[in-house]
Amino acid sequence: MTVTIHLPGVLRACCGGASELSLSASSVRVALEQIERSYPALYRSVCDETGTVRRHVNLFVNTSHMRDREGLDTALAPGDVITILPAVSGG
């Protein structure tokens, strides 16, 4: 089952400038494991050393925040879109 990962501009350098990735994954956790193997710099930007998504990074599955669903165990269906969205702050 293929899902699409949308990447913000700030993280595109971690994966050769790609704006999106296509992966075969059954859950958010499996998608992150694939990212860890294929794009370790991107993975380190999204997850900390324990494998937890960093506090300032938000992951959306389609339009729902994964934390409002089953977290890393959120199931994915073919055609789902995961959007990686780092928090923005400043003044």
Side-chain angles (χ1 to χ4, degrees):
M1 102 179 50
T2 301
V3 298
T4 302
I5 313 291
H6 281 207
L7 302 164
V10 70
L11 295 178
R12 292 178 186 170
C14 297
C15 51
S19 62
E20 62 182 42
L21 305 172
S22 292
L23 304 173
S24 181
S26 58
S27 70
V28 173
R29 184 182 312 277
V30 172
L32 290 173
E33 289 169 354
Q34 289 185 26
I35 289 171
E36 182 179 22
R37 285 191 297 276
S38 301
Y39 305 98
L42 175 59
Y43 179 81
R44 287 189 305 272
S45 295
V46 174
C47 296
D48 65 18
E49 59 281 346
T50 69
T52 303
V53 175
R54 295 182 183 279
R55 283 184 333 147
H56 66 277
V57 175
N58 297 293
L59 294 180
F60 289 86
V61 177
N62 300 318
T63 59
S64 300
H65 197 294
M66 65 141 203
R67 290 182 184 131
D68 295 334
R69 295 180 69 183
E70 289 82 36
L72 292 176
D73 295 320
T74 299
L76 300 174
D80 277 351
V81 175
I82 297 174
T83 302
I84 301 172
L85 189 62
V88 178
S89 64

Coordinates of all heavy atoms in Angstrom, one line a residue:
M1 N 0.8 -1.2 0.0 CA 0.0 0.0 0.0 C 0.9 1.2 0.0 O 1.8 1.3 0.8 CB -0.9 -0.1 1.2 CG -0.6 0.8 2.4 SD -1.7 0.7 3.7 CE -1.9 -1.0 4.0
T2 N 0.7 2.1 -0.9 CA 1.5 3.3 -1.1 C 0.9 4.5 -0.4 O -0.3 4.8 -0.6 CB 1.7 3.6 -2.6 OG1 2.4 2.4 -3.2 CG2 2.6 4.8 -2.7
V3 N 1.7 5.2 0.4 CA 1.3 6.4 1.0 C 2.3 7.5 0.6 O 3.4 7.2 0.2 CB 1.2 6.3 2.5 CG1 0.2 5.3 3.0 CG2 2.6 6.0 3.1
T4 N 1.9 8.7 0.7 CA 2.7 9.9 0.3 C 3.1 10.7 1.5 O 2.3 10.9 2.4 CB 2.0 10.8 -0.7 OG1 1.6 10.0 -1.8 CG2 2.8 12.0 -1.1
I5 N 4.4 11.0 1.6 CA 4.9 11.9 2.7 C 5.2 13.2 2.1 O 6.0 13.4 1.2 CB 6.2 11.3 3.3 CG1 6.1 9.8 3.6 CG2 6.6 12.1 4.5 CD1 5.2 9.4 4.7
H6 N 4.5 14.3 2.6 CA 4.7 15.6 2.1 C 5.8 16.3 3.1 O 5.6 16.2 4.3 CB 3.5 16.5 2.2 CG 2.6 16.2 1.0 ND1 1.7 17.1 0.5 CD2 2.4 15.1 0.2 CE1 1.1 16.7 -0.5 NE2 1.5 15.4 -0.7
L7 N 6.8 16.9 2.5 CA 7.9 17.5 3.2 C 7.9 19.0 3.1 O 7.8 19.5 2.0 CB 9.2 16.9 2.7 CG 9.3 15.4 2.8 CD1 10.5 14.9 1.9 CD2 9.5 14.9 4.2
P8 N 8.1 19.7 4.2 CA 8.2 21.1 4.1 C 9.6 21.5 3.6 O 10.5 20.7 3.6 CB 8.1 21.6 5.6 CG 8.6 20.4 6.4 CD 8.2 19.2 5.6
G9 N 9.7 22.7 3.0 CA 10.9 23.2 2.4 C 12.2 23.0 3.3 O 13.2 22.6 2.9
V10 N 12.0 23.2 4.6 CA 13.1 23.2 5.6 C 13.7 21.8 5.7 O 14.9 21.7 6.1 CB 12.7 23.8 6.9 CG1 11.7 22.9 7.6 CG2 13.9 24.1 7.8
L11 N 13.0 20.8 5.4 CA 13.4 19.4 5.5 C 13.8 18.7 4.2 O 14.3 17.6 4.2 CB 12.4 18.5 6.2 CG 12.1 18.9 7.7 CD1 11.0 18.0 8.2 CD2 13.3 18.8 8.5
R12 N 13.6 19.4 3.1 CA 13.9 18.8 1.8 C 15.3 18.5 1.5 O 15.7 17.5 0.8 CB 13.3 19.7 0.7 CG 11.8 19.7 0.7 CD 11.2 20.6 -0.3 NE 9.7 20.6 -0.1 CZ 8.9 21.4 -0.7 NH1 9.4 22.3 -1.6 NH2 7.6 21.4 -0.4
A13 N 16.2 19.2 2.1 CA 17.7 19.0 2.0 C 18.0 17.6 2.5 O 19.0 17.0 2.1 CB 18.5 20.1 2.6
C14 N 17.3 17.1 3.5 CA 17.5 15.8 4.1 C 17.2 14.6 3.2 O 17.6 13.5 3.5 CB 16.7 15.7 5.4 SG 17.1 16.9 6.7
C15 N 16.6 14.9 2.1 CA 16.2 13.8 1.2 C 16.4 14.2 -0.3 O 15.5 14.0 -1.1 CB 14.8 13.3 1.5 SG 13.6 14.5 1.6
G16 N 17.5 14.8 -0.5 CA 17.8 15.2 -1.9 C 16.9 16.2 -2.6 O 16.8 16.2 -3.8
G17 N 16.3 17.0 -1.8 CA 15.5 18.1 -2.3 C 14.0 17.7 -2.7 O 13.3 18.5 -3.2
A18 N 13.7 16.4 -2.4 CA 12.3 16.0 -2.7 C 11.3 16.7 -1.9 O 11.5 16.9 -0.7 CB 12.2 14.5 -2.5
S19 N 10.1 17.0 -2.5 CA 9.0 17.7 -1.8 C 8.1 16.6 -1.3 O 7.3 16.9 -0.4 CB 8.3 18.6 -2.7 OG 7.7 18.0 -3.8
E20 N 8.2 15.4 -1.8 CA 7.3 14.3 -1.3 C 8.0 13.0 -1.5 O 8.9 12.9 -2.4 CB 5.9 14.3 -1.8 CG 5.8 14.1 -3.3 CD 4.4 14.2 -3.8 OE1 3.6 15.0 -3.3 OE2 4.1 13.4 -4.7
L21 N 7.7 12.0 -0.7 CA 8.2 10.7 -0.8 C 7.0 9.7 -0.9 O 6.0 10.0 -0.3 CB 9.0 10.3 0.4 CG 10.2 11.2 0.8 CD1 10.7 10.8 2.2 CD2 11.3 11.2 -0.2
S22 N 7.2 8.6 -1.6 CA 6.2 7.6 -1.7 C 6.7 6.3 -1.0 O 7.8 5.9 -1.3 CB 5.8 7.2 -3.2 OG 5.2 8.3 -3.8
L23 N 6.0 5.8 -0.1 CA 6.4 4.6 0.7 C 5.3 3.6 0.8 O 4.1 4.0 0.6 CB 6.8 5.0 2.1 CG 7.8 6.1 2.4 CD1 7.9 6.5 3.8 CD2 9.2 5.6 1.9
S24 N 5.6 2.4 1.0 CA 4.6 1.4 1.3 C 4.7 1.1 2.8 O 5.7 0.6 3.3 CB 5.0 0.1 0.5 OG 4.0 -0.9 0.8
A25 N 3.6 1.5 3.5 CA 3.6 1.4 5.0 C 2.2 1.2 5.5 O 1.3 1.8 5.0 CB 4.2 2.7 5.6
S26 N 2.1 0.4 6.5 CA 0.8 0.1 7.1 C 0.4 1.0 8.3 O -0.7 1.0 8.7 CB 0.7 -1.4 7.5 OG 1.8 -1.7 8.4
S27 N 1.4 1.7 8.8 CA 1.2 2.6 10.0 C 2.2 3.7 9.9 O 3.2 3.6 9.2 CB 1.3 1.8 11.3 OG 2.7 1.5 11.5
V28 N 2.0 4.7 10.7 CA 2.9 5.8 10.8 C 4.3 5.3 11.3 O 5.3 5.7 10.8 CB 2.4 6.9 11.8 CG1 3.4 8.0 12.0 CG2 1.1 7.5 11.2
R29 N 4.3 4.4 12.3 CA 5.5 3.8 12.8 C 6.3 3.2 11.7 O 7.5 3.4 11.6 CB 5.2 2.8 13.9 CG 6.4 2.2 14.6 CD 6.1 1.2 15.6 NE 5.1 1.6 16.6 CZ 5.3 2.4 17.6 NH1 6.5 2.8 17.9 NH2 4.3 2.7 18.4
V30 N 5.7 2.4 10.9 CA 6.3 1.7 9.8 C 6.9 2.7 8.8 O 8.0 2.6 8.2 CB 5.4 0.7 9.1 CG1 6.0 0.1 7.8 CG2 5.0 -0.4 10.1
A31 N 6.1 3.8 8.5 CA 6.6 4.8 7.6 C 7.9 5.5 8.1 O 8.9 5.7 7.4 CB 5.5 5.8 7.3
L32 N 7.9 5.8 9.4 CA 9.1 6.4 10.0 C 10.3 5.4 10.0 O 11.4 5.8 9.9 CB 8.8 6.8 11.5 CG 7.8 8.1 11.5 CD1 7.4 8.3 13.0 CD2 8.5 9.3 10.9
E33 N 10.0 4.1 10.2 CA 11.1 3.1 10.1 C 11.7 3.1 8.8 O 12.9 3.0 8.6 CB 10.6 1.7 10.5 CG 10.3 1.6 12.0 CD 9.5 0.3 12.4 OE1 9.1 -0.4 11.5 OE2 9.3 0.1 13.6
Q34 N 10.9 3.2 7.7 CA 11.4 3.3 6.4 C 12.2 4.5 6.1 O 13.2 4.5 5.5 CB 10.3 3.1 5.4 CG 9.7 1.7 5.4 CD 8.6 1.6 4.3 OE1 8.7 2.3 3.3 NE2 7.7 0.6 4.5
I35 N 11.7 5.6 6.7 CA 12.4 6.9 6.5 C 13.8 6.8 7.2 O 14.8 7.3 6.7 CB 11.6 8.1 7.1 CG1 10.4 8.4 6.1 CG2 12.4 9.3 7.3 CD1 9.4 9.3 6.6
E36 N 13.8 6.2 8.4 CA 15.1 6.0 9.1 C 16.1 5.3 8.3 O 17.3 5.6 8.3 CB 14.8 5.3 10.5 CG 16.1 5.1 11.3 CD 15.8 4.4 12.6 OE1 14.8 3.7 12.7 OE2 16.6 4.6 13.5
R37 N 15.7 4.2 7.6 CA 16.6 3.4 6.8 C 17.0 4.2 5.5 O 18.2 4.1 5.2 CB 16.0 2.1 6.4 CG 15.9 1.1 7.5 CD 15.5 -0.3 7.0 NE 14.1 -0.3 6.4 CZ 13.0 -0.5 7.1 NH1 13.0 -0.6 8.4 NH2 11.8 -0.5 6.5
S38 N 16.1 4.9 4.9 CA 16.4 5.5 3.6 C 16.9 6.9 3.7 O 17.7 7.4 2.9 CB 15.2 5.5 2.7 OG 14.8 4.2 2.5
Y39 N 16.5 7.7 4.7 CA 16.8 9.1 4.9 C 17.1 9.4 6.3 O 16.3 10.0 7.0 CB 15.6 10.0 4.4 CG 15.2 9.7 3.0 CD1 14.1 8.8 2.7 CD2 15.9 10.2 1.9 CE1 13.7 8.5 1.4 CE2 15.5 9.9 0.6 CZ 14.5 9.1 0.4 OH 14.1 8.8 -0.9
P40 N 18.2 8.9 6.8 CA 18.5 9.0 8.3 C 18.5 10.5 8.8 O 18.1 10.8 9.9 CB 19.9 8.3 8.5 CG 20.4 8.1 7.1 CD 19.3 8.2 6.1
A41 N 19.0 11.4 8.0 CA 19.0 12.8 8.4 C 17.6 13.3 8.6 O 17.3 14.1 9.5 CB 19.8 13.7 7.4
L42 N 16.7 13.0 7.7 CA 15.3 13.3 7.8 C 14.7 12.7 9.1 O 14.0 13.4 9.8 CB 14.5 12.9 6.6 CG 13.0 13.1 6.6 CD1 12.6 14.6 6.8 CD2 12.3 12.6 5.3
Y43 N 15.0 11.5 9.3 CA 14.4 10.8 10.5 C 14.9 11.5 11.8 O 14.1 11.7 12.7 CB 14.9 9.3 10.5 CG 14.4 8.6 11.7 CD1 13.1 8.1 11.8 CD2 15.2 8.4 12.8 CE1 12.6 7.4 12.9 CE2 14.8 7.7 14.0 CZ 13.5 7.3 14.0 OH 13.0 6.6 15.1
R44 N 16.2 11.9 11.8 CA 16.7 12.6 13.0 C 16.1 13.9 13.2 O 16.0 14.4 14.3 CB 18.2 12.7 13.0 CG 18.9 11.3 13.2 CD 20.4 11.5 13.3 NE 21.1 12.2 12.2 CZ 21.5 11.6 11.1 NH1 21.4 10.3 11.0 NH2 22.1 12.3 10.2
S45 N 15.6 14.5 12.1 CA 14.9 15.8 12.2 C 13.5 15.7 12.8 O 13.0 16.6 13.3 CB 14.9 16.5 10.9 OG 16.2 16.9 10.4
V46 N 12.9 14.5 12.5 CA 11.5 14.3 12.9 C 11.4 13.6 14.3 O 10.6 13.9 15.1 CB 10.8 13.4 11.9 CG1 9.4 13.0 12.3 CG2 10.7 14.2 10.5
C47 N 12.3 12.6 14.5 CA 12.3 11.8 15.8 C 13.6 12.0 16.6 O 14.6 12.2 16.1 CB 12.2 10.3 15.4 SG 10.6 9.9 14.6
D48 N 13.4 11.9 17.9 CA 14.6 12.0 18.8 C 15.2 10.6 18.9 O 14.9 9.6 18.2 CB 14.2 12.5 20.2 CG 13.2 11.6 21.0 OD1 13.1 10.4 20.7 OD2 12.6 12.1 21.9
E49 N 16.3 10.5 19.8 CA 17.0 9.3 19.9 C 16.2 8.1 20.5 O 16.6 6.9 20.3 CB 18.3 9.5 20.7 CG 18.1 10.0 22.1 CD 17.7 11.5 22.2 OE1 18.0 12.2 21.3 OE2 17.3 11.9 23.3
T50 N 15.1 8.3 21.1 CA 14.2 7.3 21.6 C 13.2 6.8 20.6 O 12.4 5.9 20.8 CB 13.5 7.7 22.9 OG1 12.5 8.7 22.5 CG2 14.5 8.2 23.9
G51 N 13.1 7.5 19.4 CA 12.2 7.1 18.4 C 10.8 7.9 18.5 O 9.9 7.6 17.8
T52 N 10.8 8.8 19.5 CA 9.6 9.6 19.7 C 9.6 10.8 18.8 O 10.7 11.4 18.6 CB 9.5 10.1 21.2 OG1 9.6 8.9 22.0 CG2 8.3 10.9 21.4
V53 N 8.5 11.1 18.2 CA 8.4 12.3 17.4 C 8.7 13.5 18.2 O 8.2 13.7 19.3 CB 7.0 12.5 16.7 CG1 6.9 13.8 15.9 CG2 6.7 11.3 15.8
R54 N 9.6 14.4 17.7 CA 10.0 15.6 18.5 C 8.8 16.5 18.8 O 7.9 16.5 18.0 CB 11.1 16.3 17.7 CG 12.4 15.5 17.5 CD 13.4 16.4 16.8 NE 14.6 15.6 16.6 CZ 15.6 15.4 17.5 NH1 15.4 15.9 18.7 NH2 16.6 14.6 17.2
R55 N 8.9 17.1 20.0 CA 7.8 18.0 20.4 C 7.4 19.1 19.4 O 6.2 19.4 19.3 CB 8.2 18.7 21.7 CG 8.1 17.8 22.9 CD 8.4 18.6 24.2 NE 9.3 19.8 24.0 CZ 9.2 20.9 24.6 NH1 8.3 21.0 25.6 NH2 10.0 21.9 24.4
H56 N 8.4 19.6 18.7 CA 8.1 20.7 17.8 C 7.7 20.3 16.4 O 7.6 21.1 15.5 CB 9.3 21.7 17.7 CG 10.5 21.0 17.2 ND1 11.4 20.3 17.9 CD2 11.0 21.1 15.9 CE1 12.3 19.8 17.1 NE2 12.1 20.3 15.9
V57 N 7.6 18.9 16.2 CA 7.2 18.4 14.9 C 5.8 17.8 15.0 O 5.5 17.1 15.9 CB 8.2 17.3 14.4 CG1 7.8 16.7 13.1 CG2 9.6 17.9 14.3
N58 N 5.0 18.2 14.0 CA 3.6 17.7 13.9 C 3.5 16.8 12.7 O 4.0 17.1 11.7 CB 2.6 18.8 13.8 CG 2.6 19.7 15.0 OD1 2.3 19.3 16.1 ND2 3.1 20.9 14.9
L59 N 2.8 15.6 12.9 CA 2.6 14.7 11.8 C 1.1 14.6 11.6 O 0.3 14.2 12.6 CB 3.1 13.3 12.1 CG 4.7 13.2 12.2 CD1 5.1 11.8 12.5 CD2 5.3 13.7 11.0
F60 N 0.6 14.9 10.4 CA -0.8 14.7 10.1 C -1.0 13.6 9.1 O -0.2 13.4 8.2 CB -1.3 16.0 9.5 CG -1.4 17.2 10.4 CD1 -0.3 18.0 10.7 CD2 -2.6 17.5 11.1 CE1 -0.4 19.0 11.6 CE2 -2.7 18.5 12.0 CZ -1.6 19.3 12.2
V61 N -2.0 12.8 9.4 CA -2.4 11.8 8.4 C -3.7 12.3 7.8 O -4.7 12.5 8.5 CB -2.7 10.4 9.1 CG1 -3.2 9.4 8.1 CG2 -1.4 9.9 9.8
N62 N -3.6 12.6 6.5 CA -4.6 13.3 5.8 C -4.9 14.7 6.6 O -3.9 15.5 6.6 CB -5.9 12.5 5.6 CG -5.5 11.2 4.8 OD1 -4.8 11.3 3.8 ND2 -6.0 10.1 5.2
T63 N -6.0 14.9 7.2 CA -6.2 16.1 7.9 C -6.2 16.0 9.4 O -6.5 16.9 10.1 CB -7.6 16.7 7.5 OG1 -8.6 15.8 7.8 CG2 -7.6 17.1 6.0
S64 N -5.9 14.8 9.9 CA -6.0 14.5 11.4 C -4.6 14.4 12.0 O -3.7 13.7 11.4 CB -6.7 13.2 11.7 OG -8.0 13.3 11.2
H65 N -4.3 15.1 13.1 CA -3.1 15.0 13.8 C -2.9 13.6 14.3 O -3.9 13.1 14.9 CB -3.0 16.0 14.9 CG -1.6 16.2 15.4 ND1 -0.9 15.3 16.0 CD2 -0.8 17.3 15.3 CE1 0.3 15.8 16.4 NE2 0.4 17.0 15.9
M66 N -1.8 13.0 14.1 CA -1.6 11.6 14.5 C -1.8 11.4 16.1 O -2.2 10.4 16.5 CB -0.3 11.0 14.1 CG 0.9 11.6 14.7 SD 2.1 10.4 15.1 CE 3.0 11.2 16.4
R67 N -1.5 12.5 16.8 CA -1.7 12.4 18.3 C -3.2 12.4 18.7 O -3.5 11.9 19.7 CB -1.1 13.6 18.9 CG 0.4 13.6 18.9 CD 1.1 14.8 19.6 NE 2.5 14.7 19.4 CZ 3.3 15.7 19.0 NH1 2.7 16.9 18.8 NH2 4.6 15.6 18.9
D68 N -4.1 12.8 17.8 CA -5.5 12.7 18.0 C -6.1 11.4 17.6 O -7.3 11.1 17.7 CB -6.2 13.9 17.3 CG -5.9 15.2 17.8 OD1 -5.5 15.3 19.0 OD2 -6.0 16.2 17.0
R69 N -5.2 10.6 17.0 CA -5.7 9.2 16.5 C -4.9 8.2 17.4 O -5.1 8.3 18.6 CB -5.4 9.1 15.0 CG -6.2 10.1 14.2 CD -6.0 10.0 12.8 NE -6.5 8.8 12.2 CZ -6.4 8.5 11.0 NH1 -5.8 9.3 10.1 NH2 -6.8 7.3 10.5
E70 N -4.2 7.3 16.8 CA -3.5 6.3 17.6 C -2.0 6.5 17.7 O -1.2 5.6 17.8 CB -3.8 4.9 17.0 CG -5.2 4.4 17.2 CD -6.2 5.0 16.2 OE1 -5.8 5.2 15.0 OE2 -7.3 5.3 16.6
G71 N -1.6 7.8 17.5 CA -0.2 8.1 17.6 C 0.6 7.4 16.5 O 0.2 7.3 15.4
L72 N 1.8 6.8 16.9 CA 2.6 6.1 15.9 C 1.9 4.9 15.3 O 2.3 4.4 14.3 CB 4.0 5.7 16.5 CG 4.9 6.9 16.9 CD1 6.1 6.4 17.6 CD2 5.2 7.7 15.6
D73 N 1.0 4.3 16.1 CA 0.3 3.1 15.6 C -0.9 3.5 14.7 O -1.7 2.6 14.4 CB -0.2 2.3 16.8 CG 1.0 1.7 17.5 OD1 2.0 1.3 16.9 OD2 1.0 1.7 18.8
T74 N -1.1 4.7 14.3 CA -2.2 5.1 13.4 C -2.1 4.3 12.1 O -1.0 4.3 11.4 CB -2.1 6.6 13.1 OG1 -2.3 7.3 14.3 CG2 -3.2 7.0 12.1
A75 N -3.1 3.6 11.8 CA -3.1 2.8 10.6 C -3.2 3.7 9.3 O -3.8 4.7 9.4 CB -4.3 1.8 10.6
L76 N -2.5 3.2 8.3 CA -2.6 3.9 7.0 C -3.3 3.1 6.0 O -3.2 1.8 6.0 CB -1.1 4.2 6.6 CG -0.3 5.1 7.5 CD1 1.1 5.1 7.0 CD2 -0.9 6.4 7.6
A77 N -3.9 3.7 5.1 CA -4.6 3.1 3.9 C -4.0 3.6 2.6 O -3.4 4.7 2.6 CB -6.1 3.4 4.0
P78 N -4.1 2.8 1.6 CA -3.5 3.2 0.3 C -4.0 4.6 -0.1 O -5.2 4.9 0.1 CB -4.1 2.2 -0.7 CG -4.3 1.0 0.1 CD -4.8 1.5 1.5
G79 N -3.1 5.5 -0.5 CA -3.5 6.8 -0.9 C -3.4 7.9 0.2 O -3.6 9.1 0.0
D80 N -3.2 7.4 1.5 CA -3.1 8.4 2.6 C -1.9 9.3 2.4 O -0.9 8.9 1.8 CB -3.0 7.6 3.9 CG -4.3 7.2 4.5 OD1 -5.4 7.6 4.0 OD2 -4.3 6.4 5.5
V81 N -2.0 10.5 3.0 CA -0.9 11.4 2.9 C -0.5 11.8 4.4 O -1.3 12.1 5.2 CB -1.4 12.7 2.2 CG1 -0.3 13.8 2.2 CG2 -1.8 12.4 0.8
I82 N 0.8 11.7 4.6 CA 1.4 12.1 5.9 C 2.1 13.4 5.6 O 2.9 13.5 4.7 CB 2.4 11.1 6.4 CG1 1.7 9.8 6.7 CG2 3.0 11.6 7.7 CD1 2.7 8.7 7.2
T83 N 1.7 14.4 6.4 CA 2.3 15.7 6.2 C 3.2 16.0 7.5 O 2.7 15.9 8.6 CB 1.3 16.9 6.1 OG1 0.5 16.6 5.0 CG2 2.0 18.2 5.9
I84 N 4.5 16.2 7.2 CA 5.4 16.6 8.3 C 5.4 18.1 8.4 O 5.7 18.8 7.4 CB 6.8 16.0 8.0 CG1 6.8 14.5 7.9 CG2 7.8 16.5 9.1 CD1 8.1 13.9 7.4
L85 N 5.0 18.6 9.6 CA 4.9 20.1 9.7 C 5.6 20.5 11.0 O 5.1 20.4 12.1 CB 3.4 20.4 9.8 CG 3.1 21.9 9.7 CD1 3.6 22.5 8.4 CD2 1.6 22.1 9.9
P86 N 6.9 21.0 10.9 CA 7.6 21.6 12.0 C 6.8 22.8 12.6 O 6.3 23.6 11.8 CB 8.9 21.9 11.5 CG 9.1 21.3 10.2 CD 7.7 21.1 9.7
A87 N 6.8 23.0 13.9 CA 6.2 24.2 14.5 C 7.0 25.4 14.0 O 8.2 25.4 13.8 CB 6.2 24.1 16.0
V88 N 6.3 26.5 13.9 CA 6.9 27.8 13.5 C 6.6 28.7 14.6 O 5.6 28.8 15.2 CB 6.2 28.3 12.2 CG1 6.8 29.7 11.8 CG2 6.4 27.3 11.0
S89 N 7.7 29.4 15.0 CA 7.6 30.4 16.1 C 8.4 31.6 15.7 O 9.2 31.6 14.8 CB 8.0 29.8 17.4 OG 9.3 29.5 17.4
G90 N 8.3 32.6 16.5 CA 9.1 33.8 16.3 C 8.2 35.1 16.6 O 7.0 35.0 16.9
G91 N 8.8 36.2 16.4 CA 8.1 37.4 16.8 C 8.3 38.5 15.9 O 8.6 38.5 14.8

